[in-house]
Amino acid sequence: MIETVLALAAMLYLALQIEDKLAIPVPLSLIALAFLLNHLFPEITRFTPDPQWFAALVLTLLPILLISDALELSVAELKRHAWSLFYLAVVAVVLSVVAGLWLRDFLFGEYHLGVAATVLLFAMVLATDPVSVVSVFSRFEIPHRLKILAEGESLFNDATALIVFVYIGLHLLQGGKLTLGYVTEISLVVGLGSVALGLVFGLIGLGLLKTTENRIAEMMVLLMTGYAAFDLAEHFYTLLNLLGGHSHLHLSGILACIVATVTVHHWMSREEREEERQIEAQQALIERPGATRGLIDTALNALRVTLEERVRHLRNKEDIQLLGLVSNTILFVAMAELIELELLARYWHEILVMFVATTVIRALMMAKFAWLTRQTRRMTDVNLRWWGVLTFAGIKGGLSIVMLSMIPREFPFLDLFKAVVIGVVLLSTFLYSLILLALISRNAAVFRQELAAERRDSM
């Protein structure tokens, strides 16, 4: 176990150094290093003996990744970009699944996939990885609105993909019927229920935050808030059964966790803004002509306390980001264990077909979004440069493999799906990230100008 911890620390160190020296995003280096480590020293990195264990590991670490990324969002930004994010994270996912159903015979005609199987397959390969997107964006100065669209979509997209997978794909696979009433009911109950549950836990988290000024205790509150919302949402049927109901309903843990974290972060951001105003007020007192020694001492003491509070909040965010990096390292090492080169080689053609198909579909969805943004003032305008970035920000991640583990073992296309999903995850991580780097690097000067214009407009 000591060797495992040492290996994880060394991998993360190398990945961070590679990012600093060569501008290669951390996820790319981590996947390569994880595969190399698993190949050379398999006994050191034995995390997950099978996909079920991997799924449990992902579900354990996923809330940390969600909390880390959700701390970058604000309620004001979500309101401002609500329609854009709704299209990107909900409408685009649903339309992409519909496109997959329409193309299924053309793409995989020899397998004769049914509606249920097609929905399952496309839902898995549509789930994105927010960590990879954030890692790429952190290397550049890009317009804030573009960053919100890409990172917000990568967060909320996962919730939609998982809902489609469970409540439509698995529902049909188990012999359920798909009606407009069923889809409407599930969308409202799961969507609104998850948001409501997240708000409740967010408010509980706010109450706990007000009871302490200890930095570590504040960080624990953030983690407890996100994890509690995620866990109760995923096991909501347990609560219903305890209250006398007989239900198998579970809500979206991803959505509940994001809402709970954003709620707490909203309060923390308000505190930071208030602290900034207090700092400016104390500075004005100190610089005021004729200020007495006692007034200056009082102002300096208040300034010190305010700065300590602000630093405490910022360090909490940095610590959670560190936990997210460590969690991502563990996930990539675990994912390397699941890679079966023989299986990938056997289905290489199907992997390429799905990768190209999902890339083209995503490009068309983003093009449709760009067109819509020019038809209404309720959406952020998207130009050609932004369209390219949004298209290749659809990097896939570990959630796709979690969904893979939820498919029954007797499913006849399980090997095909396993190869396609893992293959698409690997290809998108490497190719999308490299293309994204090239696009942003090529347009770096223009993006800096757009960012400067945003800052001037906000003043």
Side-chain angles (χ1 to χ4, degrees), residues 159-192:
T160 305
L162 189 56
I163 290 171
V164 170
F165 179 88
V166 172
Y167 289 104
I168 297 181
L170 289 181
H171 174 74
L172 289 173
L173 189 66
Q174 295 165 357
K177 293 183 178 180
L178 192 64
T179 64
L180 180 60
Y182 170 79
V183 173
T184 303
E185 179 183 357
I186 286 299
S187 300
L188 292 175
V189 171
V190 176
L192 296 180

PDB file of all heavy atoms in Angstrom, residues 159-192:
ATOM      1  N   ALA A 159     -25.347  14.679 -15.723  1.00  0.00           N
ATOM      2  CA  ALA A 159     -26.636  14.377 -15.093  1.00  0.00           C
ATOM      3  C   ALA A 159     -27.663  13.956 -16.146  1.00  0.00           C
ATOM      4  O   ALA A 159     -28.393  12.966 -15.957  1.00  0.00           O
ATOM      5  CB  ALA A 159     -27.135  15.595 -14.320  1.00  0.00           C
ATOM      6  N   THR A 160     -27.716  14.675 -17.258  1.00  0.00           N
ATOM      7  CA  THR A 160     -28.671  14.335 -18.320  1.00  0.00           C
ATOM      8  C   THR A 160     -28.374  12.971 -18.920  1.00  0.00           C
ATOM      9  O   THR A 160     -29.275  12.151 -19.121  1.00  0.00           O
ATOM     10  CB  THR A 160     -28.634  15.397 -19.432  1.00  0.00           C
ATOM     11  OG1 THR A 160     -28.870  16.683 -18.855  1.00  0.00           O
ATOM     12  CG2 THR A 160     -29.701  15.125 -20.475  1.00  0.00           C
ATOM     13  N   ALA A 161     -27.101  12.719 -19.234  1.00  0.00           N
ATOM     14  CA  ALA A 161     -26.719  11.440 -19.841  1.00  0.00           C
ATOM     15  C   ALA A 161     -27.078  10.272 -18.929  1.00  0.00           C
ATOM     16  O   ALA A 161     -27.579   9.235 -19.388  1.00  0.00           O
ATOM     17  CB  ALA A 161     -25.226  11.432 -20.155  1.00  0.00           C
ATOM     18  N   LEU A 162     -26.847  10.437 -17.617  1.00  0.00           N
ATOM     19  CA  LEU A 162     -27.147   9.350 -16.680  1.00  0.00           C
ATOM     20  C   LEU A 162     -28.651   9.136 -16.547  1.00  0.00           C
ATOM     21  O   LEU A 162     -29.120   7.990 -16.452  1.00  0.00           O
ATOM     22  CB  LEU A 162     -26.526   9.667 -15.315  1.00  0.00           C
ATOM     23  CG  LEU A 162     -26.552   8.538 -14.277  1.00  0.00           C
ATOM     24  CD1 LEU A 162     -25.869   7.278 -14.818  1.00  0.00           C
ATOM     25  CD2 LEU A 162     -25.896   8.984 -12.978  1.00  0.00           C
ATOM     26  N   ILE A 163     -29.430  10.211 -16.557  1.00  0.00           N
ATOM     27  CA  ILE A 163     -30.886  10.082 -16.485  1.00  0.00           C
ATOM     28  C   ILE A 163     -31.419   9.363 -17.722  1.00  0.00           C
ATOM     29  O   ILE A 163     -32.275   8.471 -17.621  1.00  0.00           O
ATOM     30  CB  ILE A 163     -31.541  11.474 -16.325  1.00  0.00           C
ATOM     31  CG1 ILE A 163     -31.247  12.034 -14.934  1.00  0.00           C
ATOM     32  CG2 ILE A 163     -33.050  11.393 -16.559  1.00  0.00           C
ATOM     33  CD1 ILE A 163     -31.661  13.480 -14.747  1.00  0.00           C
ATOM     34  N   VAL A 164     -30.920   9.742 -18.905  1.00  0.00           N
ATOM     35  CA  VAL A 164     -31.337   9.065 -20.142  1.00  0.00           C
ATOM     36  C   VAL A 164     -30.946   7.590 -20.089  1.00  0.00           C
ATOM     37  O   VAL A 164     -31.742   6.710 -20.470  1.00  0.00           O
ATOM     38  CB  VAL A 164     -30.692   9.753 -21.364  1.00  0.00           C
ATOM     39  CG1 VAL A 164     -30.922   8.923 -22.626  1.00  0.00           C
ATOM     40  CG2 VAL A 164     -31.262  11.149 -21.553  1.00  0.00           C
ATOM     41  N   PHE A 165     -29.750   7.313 -19.612  1.00  0.00           N
ATOM     42  CA  PHE A 165     -29.268   5.936 -19.538  1.00  0.00           C
ATOM     43  C   PHE A 165     -30.159   5.077 -18.628  1.00  0.00           C
ATOM     44  O   PHE A 165     -30.578   3.973 -19.007  1.00  0.00           O
ATOM     45  CB  PHE A 165     -27.827   5.932 -19.013  1.00  0.00           C
ATOM     46  CG  PHE A 165     -27.221   4.561 -18.870  1.00  0.00           C
ATOM     47  CD1 PHE A 165     -26.560   3.966 -19.931  1.00  0.00           C
ATOM     48  CD2 PHE A 165     -27.301   3.867 -17.666  1.00  0.00           C
ATOM     49  CE1 PHE A 165     -26.004   2.698 -19.805  1.00  0.00           C
ATOM     50  CE2 PHE A 165     -26.750   2.606 -17.527  1.00  0.00           C
ATOM     51  CZ  PHE A 165     -26.095   2.021 -18.597  1.00  0.00           C
ATOM     52  N   VAL A 166     -30.435   5.579 -17.422  1.00  0.00           N
ATOM     53  CA  VAL A 166     -31.162   4.786 -16.421  1.00  0.00           C
ATOM     54  C   VAL A 166     -32.656   4.735 -16.715  1.00  0.00           C
ATOM     55  O   VAL A 166     -33.257   3.651 -16.777  1.00  0.00           O
ATOM     56  CB  VAL A 166     -30.916   5.349 -15.002  1.00  0.00           C
ATOM     57  CG1 VAL A 166     -31.821   4.646 -13.981  1.00  0.00           C
ATOM     58  CG2 VAL A 166     -29.459   5.189 -14.608  1.00  0.00           C
ATOM     59  N   TYR A 167     -33.267   5.913 -16.922  1.00  0.00           N
ATOM     60  CA  TYR A 167     -34.727   5.979 -16.972  1.00  0.00           C
ATOM     61  C   TYR A 167     -35.316   5.737 -18.353  1.00  0.00           C
ATOM     62  O   TYR A 167     -36.527   5.560 -18.479  1.00  0.00           O
ATOM     63  CB  TYR A 167     -35.206   7.323 -16.424  1.00  0.00           C
ATOM     64  CG  TYR A 167     -35.025   7.427 -14.935  1.00  0.00           C
ATOM     65  CD1 TYR A 167     -33.985   8.182 -14.394  1.00  0.00           C
ATOM     66  CD2 TYR A 167     -35.859   6.731 -14.072  1.00  0.00           C
ATOM     67  CE1 TYR A 167     -33.807   8.259 -13.021  1.00  0.00           C
ATOM     68  CE2 TYR A 167     -35.690   6.795 -12.705  1.00  0.00           C
ATOM     69  CZ  TYR A 167     -34.664   7.561 -12.189  1.00  0.00           C
ATOM     70  OH  TYR A 167     -34.486   7.626 -10.833  1.00  0.00           O
ATOM     71  N   ILE A 168     -34.466   5.732 -19.382  1.00  0.00           N
ATOM     72  CA  ILE A 168     -34.958   5.391 -20.712  1.00  0.00           C
ATOM     73  C   ILE A 168     -34.295   4.103 -21.215  1.00  0.00           C
ATOM     74  O   ILE A 168     -34.968   3.125 -21.527  1.00  0.00           O
ATOM     75  CB  ILE A 168     -34.730   6.539 -21.708  1.00  0.00           C
ATOM     76  CG1 ILE A 168     -35.540   7.762 -21.266  1.00  0.00           C
ATOM     77  CG2 ILE A 168     -35.138   6.123 -23.129  1.00  0.00           C
ATOM     78  CD1 ILE A 168     -35.414   8.953 -22.172  1.00  0.00           C
ATOM     79  N   GLY A 169     -32.947   4.083 -21.236  1.00  0.00           N
ATOM     80  CA  GLY A 169     -32.236   2.915 -21.743  1.00  0.00           C
ATOM     81  C   GLY A 169     -32.496   1.650 -20.940  1.00  0.00           C
ATOM     82  O   GLY A 169     -32.971   0.639 -21.473  1.00  0.00           O
ATOM     83  N   LEU A 170     -32.168   1.687 -19.641  1.00  0.00           N
ATOM     84  CA  LEU A 170     -32.374   0.503 -18.799  1.00  0.00           C
ATOM     85  C   LEU A 170     -33.853   0.184 -18.635  1.00  0.00           C
ATOM     86  O   LEU A 170     -34.239  -0.993 -18.541  1.00  0.00           O
ATOM     87  CB  LEU A 170     -31.727   0.715 -17.425  1.00  0.00           C
ATOM     88  CG  LEU A 170     -30.200   0.703 -17.385  1.00  0.00           C
ATOM     89  CD1 LEU A 170     -29.705   0.900 -15.953  1.00  0.00           C
ATOM     90  CD2 LEU A 170     -29.644  -0.608 -17.950  1.00  0.00           C
ATOM     91  N   HIS A 171     -34.692   1.220 -18.602  1.00  0.00           N
ATOM     92  CA  HIS A 171     -36.143   1.009 -18.498  1.00  0.00           C
ATOM     93  C   HIS A 171     -36.654   0.197 -19.697  1.00  0.00           C
ATOM     94  O   HIS A 171     -37.414  -0.775 -19.524  1.00  0.00           O
ATOM     95  CB  HIS A 171     -36.839   2.374 -18.432  1.00  0.00           C
ATOM     96  CG  HIS A 171     -38.332   2.309 -18.475  1.00  0.00           C
ATOM     97  ND1 HIS A 171     -39.101   1.893 -17.404  1.00  0.00           N
ATOM     98  CD2 HIS A 171     -39.206   2.609 -19.483  1.00  0.00           C
ATOM     99  CE1 HIS A 171     -40.380   1.943 -17.734  1.00  0.00           C
ATOM    100  NE2 HIS A 171     -40.477   2.368 -18.990  1.00  0.00           N
ATOM    101  N   LEU A 172     -36.218   0.549 -20.898  1.00  0.00           N
ATOM    102  CA  LEU A 172     -36.624  -0.189 -22.099  1.00  0.00           C
ATOM    103  C   LEU A 172     -36.003  -1.586 -22.115  1.00  0.00           C
ATOM    104  O   LEU A 172     -36.651  -2.553 -22.521  1.00  0.00           O
ATOM    105  CB  LEU A 172     -36.206   0.581 -23.345  1.00  0.00           C
ATOM    106  CG  LEU A 172     -36.969   1.878 -23.644  1.00  0.00           C
ATOM    107  CD1 LEU A 172     -36.329   2.617 -24.812  1.00  0.00           C
ATOM    108  CD2 LEU A 172     -38.436   1.581 -23.947  1.00  0.00           C
ATOM    109  N   LEU A 173     -34.758  -1.692 -21.672  1.00  0.00           N
ATOM    110  CA  LEU A 173     -34.073  -2.989 -21.664  1.00  0.00           C
ATOM    111  C   LEU A 173     -34.786  -3.982 -20.753  1.00  0.00           C
ATOM    112  O   LEU A 173     -34.798  -5.193 -21.022  1.00  0.00           O
ATOM    113  CB  LEU A 173     -32.623  -2.795 -21.221  1.00  0.00           C
ATOM    114  CG  LEU A 173     -31.697  -4.008 -21.367  1.00  0.00           C
ATOM    115  CD1 LEU A 173     -31.496  -4.355 -22.844  1.00  0.00           C
ATOM    116  CD2 LEU A 173     -30.352  -3.743 -20.698  1.00  0.00           C
ATOM    117  N   GLN A 174     -35.372  -3.485 -19.679  1.00  0.00           N
ATOM    118  CA  GLN A 174     -36.077  -4.345 -18.724  1.00  0.00           C
ATOM    119  C   GLN A 174     -37.532  -4.566 -19.105  1.00  0.00           C
ATOM    120  O   GLN A 174     -38.309  -5.118 -18.319  1.00  0.00           O
ATOM    121  CB  GLN A 174     -35.980  -3.720 -17.326  1.00  0.00           C
ATOM    122  CG  GLN A 174     -34.550  -3.678 -16.792  1.00  0.00           C
ATOM    123  CD  GLN A 174     -34.382  -2.756 -15.596  1.00  0.00           C
ATOM    124  OE1 GLN A 174     -35.338  -2.088 -15.183  1.00  0.00           O
ATOM    125  NE2 GLN A 174     -33.183  -2.695 -15.055  1.00  0.00           N
ATOM    126  N   GLY A 175     -37.928  -4.154 -20.310  1.00  0.00           N
ATOM    127  CA  GLY A 175     -39.275  -4.418 -20.798  1.00  0.00           C
ATOM    128  C   GLY A 175     -40.279  -3.330 -20.547  1.00  0.00           C
ATOM    129  O   GLY A 175     -41.480  -3.512 -20.807  1.00  0.00           O
ATOM    130  N   GLY A 176     -39.826  -2.156 -20.038  1.00  0.00           N
ATOM    131  CA  GLY A 176     -40.744  -1.052 -19.779  1.00  0.00           C
ATOM    132  C   GLY A 176     -41.190  -0.370 -21.065  1.00  0.00           C
ATOM    133  O   GLY A 176     -40.558  -0.517 -22.116  1.00  0.00           O
ATOM    134  N   LYS A 177     -42.277   0.348 -20.975  1.00  0.00           N
ATOM    135  CA  LYS A 177     -42.807   1.070 -22.130  1.00  0.00           C
ATOM    136  C   LYS A 177     -42.437   2.539 -22.031  1.00  0.00           C
ATOM    137  O   LYS A 177     -42.415   3.123 -20.948  1.00  0.00           O
ATOM    138  CB  LYS A 177     -44.325   0.911 -22.209  1.00  0.00           C
ATOM    139  CG  LYS A 177     -44.773  -0.517 -22.505  1.00  0.00           C
ATOM    140  CD  LYS A 177     -46.292  -0.598 -22.641  1.00  0.00           C
ATOM    141  CE  LYS A 177     -46.736  -2.014 -22.986  1.00  0.00           C
ATOM    142  NZ  LYS A 177     -48.222  -2.108 -23.127  1.00  0.00           N
ATOM    143  N   LEU A 178     -42.175   3.125 -23.191  1.00  0.00           N
ATOM    144  CA  LEU A 178     -41.787   4.527 -23.245  1.00  0.00           C
ATOM    145  C   LEU A 178     -42.954   5.342 -23.797  1.00  0.00           C
ATOM    146  O   LEU A 178     -43.328   5.199 -24.957  1.00  0.00           O
ATOM    147  CB  LEU A 178     -40.554   4.694 -24.139  1.00  0.00           C
ATOM    148  CG  LEU A 178     -39.855   6.058 -24.078  1.00  0.00           C
ATOM    149  CD1 LEU A 178     -39.295   6.301 -22.686  1.00  0.00           C
ATOM    150  CD2 LEU A 178     -38.738   6.119 -25.117  1.00  0.00           C
ATOM    151  N   THR A 179     -43.533   6.172 -22.940  1.00  0.00           N
ATOM    152  CA  THR A 179     -44.646   7.030 -23.349  1.00  0.00           C
ATOM    153  C   THR A 179     -44.295   8.476 -23.028  1.00  0.00           C
ATOM    154  O   THR A 179     -43.386   8.754 -22.224  1.00  0.00           O
ATOM    155  CB  THR A 179     -45.940   6.659 -22.624  1.00  0.00           C
ATOM    156  OG1 THR A 179     -45.762   6.891 -21.204  1.00  0.00           O
ATOM    157  CG2 THR A 179     -46.289   5.193 -22.850  1.00  0.00           C
ATOM    158  N   LEU A 180     -45.011   9.391 -23.643  1.00  0.00           N
ATOM    159  CA  LEU A 180     -44.784  10.815 -23.384  1.00  0.00           C
ATOM    160  C   LEU A 180     -45.048  11.139 -21.917  1.00  0.00           C
ATOM    161  O   LEU A 180     -44.311  11.922 -21.298  1.00  0.00           O
ATOM    162  CB  LEU A 180     -45.691  11.656 -24.288  1.00  0.00           C
ATOM    163  CG  LEU A 180     -45.562  13.177 -24.140  1.00  0.00           C
ATOM    164  CD1 LEU A 180     -44.152  13.634 -24.462  1.00  0.00           C
ATOM    165  CD2 LEU A 180     -46.585  13.891 -25.029  1.00  0.00           C
ATOM    166  N   GLY A 181     -46.077  10.529 -21.354  1.00  0.00           N
ATOM    167  CA  GLY A 181     -46.390  10.758 -19.944  1.00  0.00           C
ATOM    168  C   GLY A 181     -45.275  10.291 -19.033  1.00  0.00           C
ATOM    169  O   GLY A 181     -44.924  10.971 -18.060  1.00  0.00           O
ATOM    170  N   TYR A 182     -44.697   9.115 -19.362  1.00  0.00           N
ATOM    171  CA  TYR A 182     -43.606   8.582 -18.536  1.00  0.00           C
ATOM    172  C   TYR A 182     -42.391   9.498 -18.597  1.00  0.00           C
ATOM    173  O   TYR A 182     -41.787   9.828 -17.571  1.00  0.00           O
ATOM    174  CB  TYR A 182     -43.231   7.184 -19.021  1.00  0.00           C
ATOM    175  CG  TYR A 182     -41.962   6.636 -18.405  1.00  0.00           C
ATOM    176  CD1 TYR A 182     -41.965   6.101 -17.122  1.00  0.00           C
ATOM    177  CD2 TYR A 182     -40.757   6.684 -19.108  1.00  0.00           C
ATOM    178  CE1 TYR A 182     -40.796   5.610 -16.554  1.00  0.00           C
ATOM    179  CE2 TYR A 182     -39.587   6.185 -18.559  1.00  0.00           C
ATOM    180  CZ  TYR A 182     -39.607   5.662 -17.283  1.00  0.00           C
ATOM    181  OH  TYR A 182     -38.449   5.182 -16.717  1.00  0.00           O
ATOM    182  N   VAL A 183     -42.014   9.920 -19.804  1.00  0.00           N
ATOM    183  CA  VAL A 183     -40.843  10.786 -19.975  1.00  0.00           C
ATOM    184  C   VAL A 183     -41.045  12.118 -19.258  1.00  0.00           C
ATOM    185  O   VAL A 183     -40.138  12.617 -18.573  1.00  0.00           O
ATOM    186  CB  VAL A 183     -40.557  11.023 -21.474  1.00  0.00           C
ATOM    187  CG1 VAL A 183     -39.460  12.062 -21.657  1.00  0.00           C
ATOM    188  CG2 VAL A 183     -40.169   9.722 -22.155  1.00  0.00           C
ATOM    189  N   THR A 184     -42.243  12.697 -19.385  1.00  0.00           N
ATOM    190  CA  THR A 184     -42.533  13.967 -18.725  1.00  0.00           C
ATOM    191  C   THR A 184     -42.470  13.829 -17.214  1.00  0.00           C
ATOM    192  O   THR A 184     -41.870  14.666 -16.515  1.00  0.00           O
ATOM    193  CB  THR A 184     -43.921  14.479 -19.147  1.00  0.00           C
ATOM    194  OG1 THR A 184     -43.967  14.600 -20.570  1.00  0.00           O
ATOM    195  CG2 THR A 184     -44.214  15.824 -18.502  1.00  0.00           C
ATOM    196  N   GLU A 185     -43.078  12.763 -16.703  1.00  0.00           N
ATOM    197  CA  GLU A 185     -43.099  12.544 -15.253  1.00  0.00           C
ATOM    198  C   GLU A 185     -41.689  12.360 -14.704  1.00  0.00           C
ATOM    199  O   GLU A 185     -41.307  12.971 -13.694  1.00  0.00           O
ATOM    200  CB  GLU A 185     -43.944  11.314 -14.926  1.00  0.00           C
ATOM    201  CG  GLU A 185     -43.998  11.000 -13.434  1.00  0.00           C
ATOM    202  CD  GLU A 185     -44.777   9.725 -13.138  1.00  0.00           C
ATOM    203  OE1 GLU A 185     -45.324   9.115 -14.095  1.00  0.00           O
ATOM    204  OE2 GLU A 185     -44.831   9.337 -11.960  1.00  0.00           O
ATOM    205  N   ILE A 186     -40.888  11.520 -15.366  1.00  0.00           N
ATOM    206  CA  ILE A 186     -39.528  11.261 -14.896  1.00  0.00           C
ATOM    207  C   ILE A 186     -38.683  12.532 -14.968  1.00  0.00           C
ATOM    208  O   ILE A 186     -37.915  12.851 -14.047  1.00  0.00           O
ATOM    209  CB  ILE A 186     -38.877  10.136 -15.727  1.00  0.00           C
ATOM    210  CG1 ILE A 186     -39.467   8.787 -15.327  1.00  0.00           C
ATOM    211  CG2 ILE A 186     -37.364  10.108 -15.531  1.00  0.00           C
ATOM    212  CD1 ILE A 186     -39.245   8.408 -13.874  1.00  0.00           C
ATOM    213  N   SER A 187     -38.827  13.282 -16.057  1.00  0.00           N
ATOM    214  CA  SER A 187     -38.046  14.513 -16.211  1.00  0.00           C
ATOM    215  C   SER A 187     -38.347  15.496 -15.087  1.00  0.00           C
ATOM    216  O   SER A 187     -37.430  16.099 -14.503  1.00  0.00           O
ATOM    217  CB  SER A 187     -38.341  15.159 -17.568  1.00  0.00           C
ATOM    218  OG  SER A 187     -38.014  14.292 -18.629  1.00  0.00           O
ATOM    219  N   LEU A 188     -39.632  15.662 -14.781  1.00  0.00           N
ATOM    220  CA  LEU A 188     -40.024  16.614 -13.748  1.00  0.00           C
ATOM    221  C   LEU A 188     -39.646  16.126 -12.358  1.00  0.00           C
ATOM    222  O   LEU A 188     -39.072  16.872 -11.550  1.00  0.00           O
ATOM    223  CB  LEU A 188     -41.529  16.879 -13.821  1.00  0.00           C
ATOM    224  CG  LEU A 188     -42.012  17.639 -15.062  1.00  0.00           C
ATOM    225  CD1 LEU A 188     -43.531  17.739 -15.071  1.00  0.00           C
ATOM    226  CD2 LEU A 188     -41.397  19.034 -15.114  1.00  0.00           C
ATOM    227  N   VAL A 189     -39.972  14.856 -12.067  1.00  0.00           N
ATOM    228  CA  VAL A 189     -39.708  14.321 -10.727  1.00  0.00           C
ATOM    229  C   VAL A 189     -38.214  14.277 -10.450  1.00  0.00           C
ATOM    230  O   VAL A 189     -37.739  14.760  -9.405  1.00  0.00           O
ATOM    231  CB  VAL A 189     -40.331  12.914 -10.573  1.00  0.00           C
ATOM    232  CG1 VAL A 189     -39.874  12.267  -9.270  1.00  0.00           C
ATOM    233  CG2 VAL A 189     -41.848  13.006 -10.600  1.00  0.00           C
ATOM    234  N   VAL A 190     -37.439  13.699 -11.359  1.00  0.00           N
ATOM    235  CA  VAL A 190     -36.004  13.558 -11.133  1.00  0.00           C
ATOM    236  C   VAL A 190     -35.304  14.915 -11.198  1.00  0.00           C
ATOM    237  O   VAL A 190     -34.469  15.240 -10.345  1.00  0.00           O
ATOM    238  CB  VAL A 190     -35.386  12.584 -12.159  1.00  0.00           C
ATOM    239  CG1 VAL A 190     -33.871  12.512 -11.991  1.00  0.00           C
ATOM    240  CG2 VAL A 190     -35.987  11.192 -11.990  1.00  0.00           C
ATOM    241  N   GLY A 191     -35.640  15.723 -12.211  1.00  0.00           N
ATOM    242  CA  GLY A 191     -34.985  17.012 -12.345  1.00  0.00           C
ATOM    243  C   GLY A 191     -35.285  17.958 -11.194  1.00  0.00           C
ATOM    244  O   GLY A 191     -34.371  18.422 -10.490  1.00  0.00           O
ATOM    245  N   LEU A 192     -36.575  18.221 -10.979  1.00  0.00           N
ATOM    246  CA  LEU A 192     -36.958  19.150  -9.915  1.00  0.00           C
ATOM    247  C   LEU A 192     -36.657  18.581  -8.533  1.00  0.00           C
ATOM    248  O   LEU A 192     -36.251  19.317  -7.624  1.00  0.00           O
ATOM    249  CB  LEU A 192     -38.448  19.487 -10.034  1.00  0.00           C
ATOM    250  CG  LEU A 192     -38.859  20.219 -11.311  1.00  0.00           C
ATOM    251  CD1 LEU A 192     -40.362  20.490 -11.310  1.00  0.00           C
ATOM    252  CD2 LEU A 192     -38.091  21.525 -11.457  1.00  0.00           C
TER     253      LEU A 192
END
